[in-house]
Amino acid sequence: MSSFAAAGAPRARTGTAYLRYAAGKAAGAVFSLLAVLVTSFFLFRLIPGDPVKFMTGGRPVSAEQLTAYRREFGLNLPVWEQFTDYCRKSLTGDLGTSYQFREPVIDKITEALPNTLLLTVTAFVLYTALGMVLGTRAAWRHGRLGDRLNTGLALTLYSIPSFWLGLLLIIVFSVGAGPVPGLFPTGGMESGGKEGFAYVVDVAHHLVLPVATLVAVEYGQTLLVTRSALLDEMGSDYLTTARAKGLRDDLVRRRHAVPNALLPTVTLVFVNLGRTVAGVILVETVFSWPGLGGLFYQALSVPDLPLVQGLFFVFAAAVILMNTLADLVYPLLDPRVAR
């Protein structure tokens, strides 16, 4: 019994340490979300423009009508009353009513979210896989021509603004340039009037250029982190031992070096997913993709304060959630983190 108790004690201590660690990270995430909630209210009230004038469509209206509009949306109240009402409703899941759509903000977000997830998750899977494969090969052939070409291309594309690359792809592959004909739609998510498999093909056709833009800009970071982590492992003694046992170089890389170099990359994967959801605004705007990014751009132009605040909270929550998940997964891969 004493040996079992002795063996169980370290496990119990490790479990307790992880729970304390997880509780601290969860508390930090909640505090960050509350800070975002407060910040979003005051930040977007600095945007120039009068939502009431937008709602009137530029028509001449009387002072009484303007007052009625302001009363309808609570804009006639003092800022502190608007703030307390906003916080109270937000904590119950009510993000307000959109000025321009006259619909609950949560409904507009729910409507556009699947389109954004289709774009971002597709791009995320592709650029993560591409970055990890090319990063592994670049590190294993460190200093060779392939490594230099891969690293140089990744750094170049990573430094290009996504909206500029998107416009360039539209000019070349949608409008057509020189001998290259227009192959893809200039924007939107579908052509309309199609059902079943034809609809799936049509959406995939519209998806090519925005996904290519995100993949081209984002894969470089994963490649560079994977390459750097693997280079740190390549001089380790356990790899020398594995080679001394007669294992093929490919097996040494796949079974020993890559798994131990994945810790930084796994963290980056979680962070990138949240960042991609939040950073898709420019790409969706350039390609007229009907997702959260395009909706955010529309809301800013009014300004539609409840919709802007709600979308900003969703984008920030995606980043915070993915960072928290990365923090929670990391100790499972390396228990020393939670100590």
Side-chain angles (χ1 to χ4, degrees):
M1 291 294 292
S2 59
S3 61
F4 284 111
R11 291 197 199 97
R13 285 196 296 271
T14 303
T16 302
Y18 180 77
L19 289 176
R20 285 200 303 267
Y21 173 84
K25 294 298 179 182
V30 171
F31 179 79
S32 298
L33 287 172
L34 292 175
V36 167
L37 199 66
V38 173
T39 303
S40 65
F41 177 85
F42 294 102
L43 177 64
F44 295 110
R45 274 161 176 73
L46 300 177
I47 300 174
D50 188 348
V52 174
K53 290 184 178 179
F54 175 86
M55 286 184 278
T56 61
R59 302 184 306 273
V61 293
S62 64
E64 291 77 12
Q65 288 174 306
L66 289 176
T67 302
Y69 273 120
R70 293 184 185 281
R71 188 182 301 111
E72 179 183 353
F73 291 99
L75 295 174
N76 62 317
L77 299 174
V79 174
W80 69 268
E81 283 192 39
Q82 294 183 44
F83 175 66
T84 54
D85 186 57
Y86 162 74
C87 290
R88 178 178 55 80
K89 289 182 177 179
S90 296
L91 293 175
T92 60
D94 181 2
L95 297 177
T97 301
S98 167
Y99 295 160
Q100 56 183 321
F101 298 106
R102 305 296 179 93
E103 297 179 29
V105 168
I106 194 67
D107 290 349
K108 297 300 298 181
I109 292 175
T110 304
E111 178 185 326
L113 180 60
N115 299 338
T116 290
L117 290 179
L118 174 63
L119 174 59
T120 55
V121 172
T122 302
F124 168 76
V125 171
L126 291 176
Y127 76 66
T128 299
L130 183 65
M132 291 179 68
V133 170
L134 294 182
T136 300
R137 291 184 176 277
W140 211 250
R141 294 170 174 79
H142 175 57
R144 299 183 188 177
L145 179 61
D147 174 34
R148 293 197 295 271
L149 289 176
N150 274 331
T151 306
L153 181 61
L155 285 170
T156 301
L157 291 174
Y158 185 60
S159 64
I160 294 177
S162 58
F163 73 89
W164 186 86
L165 181 60
L167 290 172
L168 186 63
L169 291 180
I170 289 175
I171 292 171
V172 176
F173 295 106
S174 294
V175 178
V180 181
L183 301 173
F184 300 99
T186 57
M189 182 176 171
E190 57 177 300
S191 301
K194 297 184 179 180
E195 298 178 355
F197 183 71
Y199 172 77
V200 174
V201 172
D202 185 42
V203 172
H205 193 213
H206 285 75
L207 196 63
V208 171
L209 290 186
V211 166
T213 302
L214 286 172
V215 170
V217 172
E218 297 293 346
Y219 91 96
Q221 187 180 23
T222 306
L223 182 152
L224 295 172
V225 170
T226 302
R227 177 181 179 275
S228 176
L230 191 54
L231 284 175
D232 290 341
E233 293 291 329
M234 286 178 61
S236 301
D237 292 338
Y238 69 89
L239 295 183
T240 304
T241 303
R243 291 191 183 96
K245 290 180 179 180
L247 293 178
R248 296 197 315 272
D249 203 50
D250 183 56
L251 287 177
V252 173
R253 183 180 74 243
R254 287 190 292 107
R255 294 185 180 179
H256 298 279
V258 172
N260 284 287
L262 279 180
L263 292 179
T265 308
V266 168
T267 303
L268 181 66
V269 164
F270 282 98
V271 173
N272 274 349
L273 181 56
R275 192 168 60 85
T276 302
V277 173
V280 78
I281 298 171
L282 292 177
V283 173
E284 287 193 354
T285 302
V286 168
F287 289 96
S288 302
W289 189 265
L292 297 179
L295 193 62
F296 188 75
Y297 178 79
Q298 283 181 266
L300 277 176
S301 63
V302 173
D304 188 340
L305 295 179
L307 188 54
V308 169
Q309 290 166 181
L311 288 167
F312 181 77
F313 180 76
V314 169
F315 292 145
V319 175
I320 293 169
L321 177 61
M322 289 300 109
N323 275 277
T324 304
L325 286 177
D327 288 337
L328 296 179
V329 168
Y330 208 95
L332 301 178
L333 301 174
D334 186 355
R336 293 172 298 178
V337 175
R339 292 176 185 170

